[in-house]
Amino acid sequence: MRATAPNIRRRTLLTLLGLTAAGTLVRPPRAAAATATTATVAGQELAAIAANPSFVFATDLPGTAGSGEASPIGTAYWLGVYEVTNAQYLDFATDTGHDTPDYWDGDTYPDGKADHPVLAVSLDSATAYCAWLDAQTDADGWTFRLPTEAEWENAASGPDALTYPWGDDSGTVYDAPTLTSNYNYNAVCAAYELAEHGDESATYTATGSDLYGQSFPLSEILSIGSTGTVAGWNVTASRTGFIYTDVYDALTATGGYTTPVATYPGGASTDGVVDLCGNCWEWTTSVITATHGGEMGQQVNAVRGGSWYANLNSCTAVYRGEGRDSSGRYSTVGFRVAATAQASD
């Protein structure tokens, strides 16, 4: 039987507001949520996204507001309500013999991560997944693919060109030990680690770190500001900060600090699509010259949305300029599907 994303068939997001906070995290509900038009095809819950012939990116690739190029979206399309999960990808890999992500334990995903987004999947593998969906018996009349960058931003930013899918303010607040957030980014991981393990030691394991082999309490490495900014996550020059420690190594060995794909109903778009900010970067088919990140200056495929690893500045509906090599498998990059439906007679 095919594993599917959480079964939320044709319901308004208001029905999700009973979700309780867990640990140190509070997820605020949307003040109001429109009823989304959805369809479930080949195990994928899809949201209808309207055409937008006048679509213009909010920024150019370097991030200058108001300087984005026009990229008309002439036809309506569908977008996955959720990022593709580990469980869904396992069905594909089992059926086709396709390679599995390197953080999986052999032929299956880590315990407890069935409904977390699949990571470390190349663009080619994500495209192969879409082709596999096309071949499913209940996909007749549908064609699956990956979204373009314009389609992704159009769905994330909505008709009002919002900074976030839910509005123009992040709504993130940190009042130790509680983090209130609409999305999963590095402060969520930091808040958990500080609340649960702040007094425990982390050891620097990165070759070339100025503090290689030394151990410190996590509370002396990480800190979080009142608006959710994280200090001590990555100090590149000295190769210090949380990501150079054994605690971080243990996280990435099992797929990082992702969350189940239905965790943040307050982060939904006006069309009912969730996790467009945070959790994992998402592949698009659009090729750009990257202006940010380690791929700066390279011709790569645009990725959008930020991830569990990314800082709050990268996790918006309008942040651009990040890209990845299409053959790469990255511990912060996953995908969601797009689809078109054949017009009925």
Side-chain angles (χ1 to χ4, degrees):
M1 179 180 294
R2 177 177 301 108
T4 63
N7 183 15
I8 304 181
R9 310 274 192 266
R10 297 183 179 275
R11 291 182 284 167
T12 67
L13 293 172
L14 291 177
T15 62
L16 293 172
L17 300 186
L19 192 68
T20 58
T24 60
L25 178 63
V26 174
R27 308 170 188 96
R30 293 178 66 86
T35 301
T37 300
T38 65
T40 301
V41 182
Q44 299 291 313
E45 187 164 359
L46 306 170
I49 312 295
N52 188 353
S54 61
F55 176 79
V56 178
F57 284 105
T59 75
D60 58 11
L61 287 171
T64 305
S67 298
E69 70 273 22
S71 186
I73 301 171
T75 58
Y77 57 102
W78 298 77
L79 193 66
V81 171
Y82 306 103
E83 295 155 335
V84 173
T85 67
N86 285 306
Q88 290 173 324
Y89 199 79
L90 176 60
D91 286 342
F92 159 69
T94 301
D95 197 26
T96 64
H98 206 87
D99 291 344
T100 57
D102 58 9
Y103 66 91
W104 286 21
D105 183 11
D107 294 330
T108 193
Y109 47 81
D111 288 345
K113 290 203 169 184
D115 287 335
H116 291 233
V118 66
L119 306 175
V121 173
S122 69
L123 180 73
D124 289 344
S125 293
T127 301
Y129 180 88
C130 292
W132 175 74
L133 291 178
D134 285 344
Q136 303 306 302
T137 56
D138 57 343
D140 186 40
W142 291 78
T143 301
F144 286 89
R145 56 184 176 81
L146 299 177
T148 66
E149 186 185 14
E151 287 173 332
W152 190 97
E153 183 170 317
N154 177 59
S157 196
D160 296 323
L162 299 172
T163 303
Y164 299 92
W166 56 86
D168 285 322
D169 295 318
S170 71
T172 304
V173 177
Y174 182 64
D175 184 9
T178 302
L179 177 74
T180 302
S181 179
N182 282 317
Y183 58 106
N184 178 17
Y185 71 111
N186 69 353
V188 175
C189 178
Y192 169 80
E193 292 293 348
L194 288 171
E196 298 296 322
H197 307 290
D199 294 334
E200 299 173 19
S201 290
T203 302
Y204 283 100
T205 58
T207 303
S209 171
D210 287 358
L211 298 175
Y212 179 77
Q214 297 185 46
S215 301
F216 301 89
L218 275 171
S219 59
E220 295 182 13
I221 296 174
L222 279 172
S223 63
I224 306 173
S226 61
T227 59
T229 56
V230 178
W233 184 263
N234 177 14
V235 185
T236 305
S238 60
R239 294 178 66 81
T240 58
F242 177 69
I243 70 165
Y244 298 105
T245 69
D246 58 345
V247 179
Y248 175 81
D249 293 343
L251 277 177
T252 55
T254 58
Y257 200 77
T258 53
T259 46
V261 295
T263 299
Y264 293 91
S269 72
T270 55
D271 295 306
V273 182
V274 298
D275 274 347
L276 285 162
C277 291
N279 221 8
C280 71
W281 290 102
E282 299 175 11
W283 284 114
T284 77
T285 59
S286 300
V287 177
I288 63 169
T289 300
T291 55
H292 303 296
E295 292 74 21
M296 185 182 300
Q298 300 176 30
Q299 292 283 306
V300 288
N301 280 80
V303 294
R304 295 296 301 263
S307 73
W308 67 271
Y309 172 98
N311 64 35
L312 76 177
N313 295 325
S314 302
C315 298
T316 74
V318 298
Y319 178 79
R320 300 181 70 194
E322 291 271 358
R324 303 290 187 270
D325 184 272
S326 62
S327 64
R329 296 170 179 263
Y330 303 90
S331 63
T332 59
V333 179
F335 68 104
R336 79 174 70 228
V337 301
T340 53
Q342 180 178 317
S344 59
D345 295 334

